[in-house]
Amino acid sequence: MHGPLSAAWLLVALCAATGAYCLLRLRSDVEEQRRTAGGEALMGFGMALMAVPAAVLTPPHWAWLLYATVFGAAALRALWASRTGTHHLHHLVGTFAMAYMAVAMAVRPEAHAHHGGAGAPALTGALFLYFTVYVLWSGARLVPATTTATAGSGTMAAGWGDRPELARACRLSMGIGMLAMLLTM
């Protein structure tokens, strides 16, 4: 990732924390949570690795090809899963975007390695637009519809892995991270 060092490290921390929470969701009793948690953990940790500042660590050429292969396979898995439900289409776009960014980093000329401009501007713009809309939409879903909920309604507290609002917050965090990464391309 190119840009200010402190912003890059904040992005690394955000994505790694998101990936770690997604690993917690793998222990959930809710099947839907478990079903998506592994892929989202892969996205979180993959984004954290890709966001490490180039001044600190410049991955070798083969690492970008490995990222492209892993996220290309994840995109194919998301494409296969989208047959059963449209909610998998977001995972398809996210994994495709990660594979696209990895390929763009792998094929960029080394002379321009720290000057951005990698990737196709139209595709980068389309992905940026998609994630902007996604971040706004998912952020609006986190806003409570009403504030009249009672604190002690007698319901048992859900475990950390079973909290849908935390899963949405993680997806929002990854969307924001994706916007930051696309912006620096």
Side-chain angles (χ1 to χ4, degrees), residues 18 32 42 47 55 63 67 72 85 97 99 104 126 131 137-138 142 164 166:
T18 300
E32 171 114 7
L42 173 70
M47 289 172 67
Y67 292 159
F131 282 104
W137 175 76
S138 61
L142 283 176
L166 289 177

Side-chain angles (χ1 to χ4, degrees), residues 158-180:
W160 281 102
D162 298 329
R163 309 261 321 249
E165 69 277 7
L166 289 177
R168 284 188 204 118
C170 281
R171 291 181 191 117
L172 174 64
S173 297
M174 284 194 284
I176 292 168
M178 192 68 77
L179 280 173

Side-chain angles (χ1 to χ4, degrees), residues 55-83:
V56 175
L57 174 71
T58 303
H61 179 72
W62 61 265
W64 294 114
L65 296 175
L66 178 65
Y67 292 159
T69 302
V70 167
F71 287 107
L76 289 175
R77 182 181 178 281
L79 179 63
W80 182 257
S82 69
R83 298 174 306 116

Side-chain angles (χ1 to χ4, degrees), residues 9-162:
W9 284 117
L10 286 171
L11 184 59
V12 169
L14 175 74
C15 293
T18 300
Y21 176 72
C22 290
L23 286 180
L24 278 176
R25 288 178 40 222
L26 284 172
R27 297 176 33 193
S28 171
D29 293 333
V30 180
E31 183 181 349
E32 171 114 7
Q33 292 283 349
R34 287 191 316 266
R35 194 176 314 140
T36 59
E40 290 175 354
L42 173 70
M43 286 291 292
F45 289 125
M47 289 172 67
L49 281 173
M50 289 177 78
V52 171
V56 175
L57 174 71
T58 303
H61 179 72
W62 61 265
W64 294 114
L65 296 175
L66 178 65
Y67 292 159
T69 302
V70 167
F71 287 107
L76 289 175
R77 182 181 178 281
L79 179 63
W80 182 257
S82 69
R83 298 174 306 116
T84 60
T86 58
H87 61 278
H88 294 286
L89 292 176
H90 172 69
H91 294 128
L92 174 62
V93 173
T95 53
F96 171 77
M98 291 293 287
Y100 164 70
M101 287 188 286
V103 167
M105 297 304 283
V107 300
R108 72 174 183 211
E110 287 303 315
H112 298 98
H114 300 286
H115 296 289
L123 184 53
T124 302
L127 288 170
F128 188 81
L129 179 64
Y130 171 82
F131 282 104
T132 299
V133 170
Y134 179 78
V135 162
L136 293 172
W137 175 76
S138 61
R141 288 182 61 201
L142 283 176
V143 175
T146 139
T147 58
T148 60
T150 58
S153 61
T155 60
M156 180 180 276
W160 281 102
D162 298 329

